[in-house]
Amino acid sequence: MSKLKPYYPVFKFVGIFAGIYVILSLLYYLYTSQDWTGVNYPDPVTSHVSHQTKELLQLLGYNATIENTAQLPSINLFIDGNIVFRVIEGCNAMSVSILFLAFVLAFAKAWKKTLLFCLFGVLAIYAVNLFRLVLLAVIFVDHPDYAHTAHDLIFPAIIYGMTVLLWIFWIRKPKNA
C-alpha cells in the first residue's frame, strides 16, 4: 500500500473527475429525455444553437432557414431551400462542456475563480461550436468536396484542441489569474 501513496493525488483527481463527469452526464441525460415537443424541439440548447446558426448565416448573406424534424429529434438547416445538414443534440457542444467542467472542477481550489473559469470556458466552447456550425454550413454549400474532412477531422480537432488548451491554462494558470 505504501507504494501507491505517492499516486494518491492522481487517484483522487481521477475519482473526482469521474464522479463529476458521471453526475453531469446523468443530469444531461435526464434533461435530454424530457419531452420538449411543445417548447423547443428537440431540446432548448440544440434549438437555440440552430437558431443562432441560421441567424449568423443570414448575416453572412445566406438564405438560411431551419425546420424541426418531426420524425427525428433534430433540426434541419436549409440554404436556398436545400437541406444542408441536420443539427442533432450532439451538435450543441454540451458533451464537450460536461467533459471540460468535470476536469476543471476536479482541479478546483478557489471556488470563485473556478466558477468564473467554468463560465468562461463553457461560453468559449459554445461560441467555437456555433462558429463551427456556421463554417460547416458554408463549407457544405460552397466547398462540398471538403465537407467530410471538415466535419469529421478539422472541426473536432479544433473544439477538442481548444478544450485541452483551456485545461492546460487552468492547470498552469498564472498566480495572479
Side-chain angles (χ1 to χ4, degrees), residues 141-164:
V141 170
D142 295 340
H143 307 285
D145 292 344
Y146 300 104
H148 174 74
T149 302
H151 181 270
D152 294 352
L153 300 173
I154 296 170
F155 287 111
I158 289 171
I159 199 159
Y160 284 108
M162 186 197 77
T163 302
V164 169

Side-chain angles (χ1 to χ4, degrees), residues 21 28 89-90 92-100 160:
Y21 183 78
Y28 183 60
E89 172 273 324
N92 66 19
M94 288 299 294
S95 296
V96 177
S97 294
I98 288 170
L99 188 65
F100 167 79
Y160 284 108

Side-chain angles (χ1 to χ4, degrees), residues 103 117 161-173:
F103 185 92
F117 189 72
M162 186 197 77
T163 302
V164 169
L165 289 175
L166 286 168
W167 286 342
I168 290 169
F169 178 80
W170 181 244
I171 292 169
R172 302 176 58 120
K173 61 187 172 282

Side-chain angles (χ1 to χ4, degrees), residues 78-94:
F78 297 89
I79 293 181
D80 294 328
N82 299 313
I83 189 165
V84 178
F85 54 66
R86 286 184 312 122
V87 180
I88 62 172
E89 172 273 324
C91 298
N92 66 19
M94 288 299 294

Side-chain angles (χ1 to χ4, degrees), residues 109-162:
K109 293 209 182 343
W111 285 105
K112 184 177 178 183
K113 289 180 181 180
T114 300
L115 293 177
L116 286 173
F117 189 72
C118 284
L119 179 62
F120 168 78
V122 168
L123 290 175
I125 290 168
Y126 184 90
V128 167
N129 184 62
L130 184 58
F131 286 110
R132 173 189 80 92
L133 289 170
V134 170
L135 290 173
L136 275 175
V138 170
I139 291 169
F140 275 49
V141 170
D142 295 340
H143 307 285
D145 292 344
Y146 300 104
H148 174 74
T149 302
H151 181 270
D152 294 352
L153 300 173
I154 296 170
F155 287 111
I158 289 171
I159 199 159
Y160 284 108
M162 186 197 77

Side-chain angles (χ1 to χ4, degrees), residues 31-32 34-51 66 68 73-75 92:
Y31 165 81
T32 57
Q34 300 300 308
D35 181 13
W36 297 105
T37 310
V39 185
N40 289 306
Y41 186 78
D43 66 82
V45 176
T46 304
S47 177
H48 195 65
V49 167
S50 301
H51 179 74
I66 56 173
N68 290 342
S74 62
I75 297 172
N92 66 19

